[in-house]
Amino acid sequence: MNFTSRRRRFAQTAVAGIALTGLLAACGGSDSGDDTDSSGPVTLDFWGWANGQEAVVKAFNASHKDVQLKYTKITDQLTMQKQLSNAVKAKNAPCLLQNTGEYVTSWVAQGALADISKYVESSKGKFNSGSWATGQVQGKTYGVPTASAPAFTIYRTDLFKKYGLKAPTTWDDFIAAGKVLKKHDIKITNYAGEDPSTLEVLAMQAGAHWYAIDGNAWKVNFQDEGSLKAAKVIQEIIDNDLNAKLSFADYAAVQRSFDNGDTATRQISTWQMSGMVQNFTKSFGDWALSPWPTFAGEAARTPAGTNQSGNLTLVSEQCEHQEQAAEAALWMSTDPGAVKTMASPETGSGVMPALADSDSYVPEAISEKLLGKNYDPAQQIVKDSLSTVTTDWTFGPNWTAMFTELQSQWGKVVSKKQTVTDLLAHMQEWTVKDLKSRGINVKG
């Protein structure tokens, strides 16, 4: 599936041993995350890596007299985790920082983030529910969403028409179509051996909960009904050789496979379409969008794991001016000019806004060149997908280490050296053991 592969470069961030009561405890800090002159405006440090942020900061500073932002561009997501860890220890964390959803719980567990609920809760209705949920831990809000990634299927209409197929509406349909395409040496999807996000997002869609908070402990369950339901779909695809096994390490080869018609579908979001446009030469106009496949008999439900691309602005616990920081974060995510700057692939990151009313940004978020006559109906597919995003997925306090272990084992699944259920059993045992080794209360 590989729609998260380019963001899955996790640091081995250590999480302090904590009981759950310490999960939400604020750590004492200094005001070194901001610089305030009694005779001038409050100045807040802001760290981020996304294209377009410098322009947004400039616009904010031009329109605000009492609060100013001082922007520092960090190289990437991985570097952010390392530099933030050092800053927290040195008690000079920035007031504002960009990050992605899977890191929030870990940073809350370390007392690094401020609970900004009282400052931002009244603005909740301005955002789509899936994006808003990524900034929450145990009902408290620690971040303002900046982007969302609607999830859908993109498929080769020419190949589906040639072989009498319709766009799959369920995973059963998807597998059946894959078996037809296999007869013509065409794979229906690609599973890269280094990218287990396929398992994560299908489990999420199926209602799995790998992590949950239970009283004063973490509950771990990689073998619940949803996880096993996802495992069954993936295993059938692998057992029947319906998937290509191309690594995203050779990005050009993966794109050629789609462009040449050797692989017929992808489950992706809007931001991946730019890579297709930049690398394709043959198949422009042959692609269309359809909703993310459902499990048979179930309502539409798309995974929140696709809300990536730097989707939060967080406020640090060490920030002396948390209210002003929270208000600045809200402005950057809701001001029309700021949102347009970040949404445009020319001036920003080319991602969909996290706003509830982001429909007007859809036309420029998808490619008419790629979709051809299918461009207009594709816009509604994108809009609809934002209303079906899961909102009850929790990232555990050792997510970074867990995902790295999952990643190390996924290649064995793709190469048929172990089953998906074997992998889930291993991850259950490994994750519980790892949490206990960190002194974290765990059930599982």
Side-chain angles (χ1 to χ4, degrees):
M1 204 160 297
N2 301 108
F3 55 82
T4 56
S5 61
R6 299 182 72 183
R7 76 180 170 101
R8 295 295 189 187
R9 301 186 181 103
F10 295 130
Q12 291 291 338
T13 306
V15 178
I18 52 169
L20 196 63
T21 52
L23 177 67
L24 301 178
C27 63
S30 70
D31 62 353
S32 54
D34 58 78
D35 181 16
T36 306
D37 184 331
S38 59
S39 63
V42 171
T43 300
L44 308 175
D45 286 336
F46 173 32
W47 292 3
W49 67 81
N51 293 333
Q53 285 176 334
E54 290 175 277
V56 169
V57 167
K58 184 177 181 180
F60 178 91
N61 289 340
S63 60
H64 292 76
K65 295 181 179 180
D66 297 332
V67 179
Q68 296 284 282
L69 300 181
K70 181 181 178 182
Y71 182 69
T72 299
K73 189 173 181 64
I74 306 299
T75 305
D76 53 33
Q77 183 188 36
L78 175 59
T79 304
M80 173 66 81
Q81 314 317 315
K82 294 177 180 177
Q83 293 190 200
L84 180 60
S85 180
N86 292 335
V88 169
K89 291 175 184 176
K91 298 188 184 300
N92 62 356
C95 265
L96 291 160
L97 60 130
Q98 175 189 359
N99 226 314
T100 50
E102 66 268 28
Y103 290 110
V104 174
T105 302
S106 293
W107 286 119
V108 170
Q110 297 179 71
L113 302 182
D115 174 8
I116 57 173
S117 302
K118 62 183 177 180
Y119 306 127
V120 302
E121 195 65 25
S122 62
S123 297
K124 178 180 178 180
K126 296 179 180 180
F127 299 88
N128 69 64
S129 57
S131 294
W132 187 262
T134 61
Q136 294 197 310
V137 177
Q138 245 190 340
K140 296 181 179 180
T141 302
Y142 294 87
V144 176
T146 61
S148 61
F152 44 79
T153 299
I154 189 167
Y155 69 100
R156 284 286 295 262
T157 56
D158 55 336
L159 297 178
F160 272 64
K161 181 178 180 180
K162 182 177 181 179
Y163 300 115
L165 299 171
K166 296 181 179 180
T169 58
T170 68
W171 287 114
D172 289 342
D173 294 339
F174 190 83
I175 291 168
K179 291 178 179 178
V180 173
L181 292 171
K182 179 186 174 182
K183 297 176 182 178
H184 306 282
D185 297 321
I186 300 169
K187 304 296 186 182
I188 196 166
T189 191
N190 179 59
Y191 289 166
E194 74 276 6
D195 181 23
S197 59
T198 296
L199 177 57
E200 175 196 345
V201 296
L202 261 70
M204 187 185 300
Q205 180 195 10
H209 295 283
W210 290 354
Y211 294 88
I213 296 172
D214 186 0
N216 68 341
W218 284 95
K219 182 178 179 181
V220 175
N221 193 349
F222 283 78
Q223 298 171 295
D224 58 8
E225 182 181 355
S227 297
L228 296 178
K229 189 187 300 183
K232 184 177 183 295
V233 169
I234 294 170
Q235 196 65 59
E236 190 165 356
I237 290 171
I238 291 174
D239 286 347
N240 286 280
D241 297 312
L242 307 183
N243 61 295
K245 303 174 185 178
L246 299 173
S247 170
F248 266 69
D250 190 348
Y251 186 69
V254 175
Q255 297 294 356
R256 281 196 302 272
S257 178
F258 293 117
D259 194 26
N260 292 338
D262 298 323
T263 308
T265 79
R266 295 180 71 184
Q267 273 76 43
I268 61 169
S269 184
T270 53
W271 62 273
Q272 286 116 322
M273 297 175 76
S274 61
M276 301 174 78
V277 173
Q278 292 165 11
N279 288 274
F280 286 3
T281 60
K282 302 177 181 179
S283 59
F284 291 119
D286 291 332
W287 295 86
L289 304 188
S290 65
W292 188 279
T294 65
F295 290 93
E298 297 186 7
R301 181 178 167 94
T302 52
T306 56
N307 285 321
Q308 64 236 3
S309 305
N311 62 354
L312 291 164
T313 304
L314 306 172
V315 177
S316 74
E317 176 62 24
Q318 293 178 7
C319 179
E320 186 179 69
H321 299 280
Q322 293 177 7
E323 182 175 4
Q324 291 94 327
E327 290 173 351
L330 279 173
W331 186 93
M332 289 189 286
S333 289
T334 58
D335 177 78
V339 172
K340 185 175 181 179
T341 294
M342 295 305 296
S344 169
E346 284 78 28
T347 61
S349 301
V351 294
M352 281 288 293
L355 299 174
D357 58 347
S358 59
D359 287 2
S360 62
Y361 298 93
V362 172
E364 65 183 64
I366 61 176
S367 170
E368 186 171 7
K369 181 178 182 180
L370 184 65
L371 298 170
K373 65 181 181 181
N374 304 306
Y375 172 72
D376 287 337
Q379 294 179 41
Q380 192 60 47
I381 298 293
V382 174
K383 295 173 185 177
D384 291 344
S385 73
L386 287 169
S387 65
T388 60
V389 176
T390 57
T391 59
D392 58 352
W393 181 261
T394 299
F395 293 103
N398 68 335
W399 181 271
T400 295
M402 181 283 295
F403 196 88
T404 301
E405 178 64 20
L406 183 67
Q407 193 172 32
S408 73
Q409 298 294 315
W410 175 250
K412 297 178 184 178
V413 172
V414 173
S415 61
K416 299 185 180 180
K417 294 180 179 178
Q418 71 173 335
T419 65
V420 184
T421 53
D422 288 341
L423 172 57
L424 290 171
H426 168 75
M427 292 309 303
Q428 176 70 26
E429 181 179 357
W430 187 94
T431 304
V432 170
K433 183 178 179 180
D434 182 70
L435 287 170
K436 289 180 176 178
S437 72
R438 298 169 186 266
I440 297 175
N441 292 342
V442 60
K443 298 177 181 179

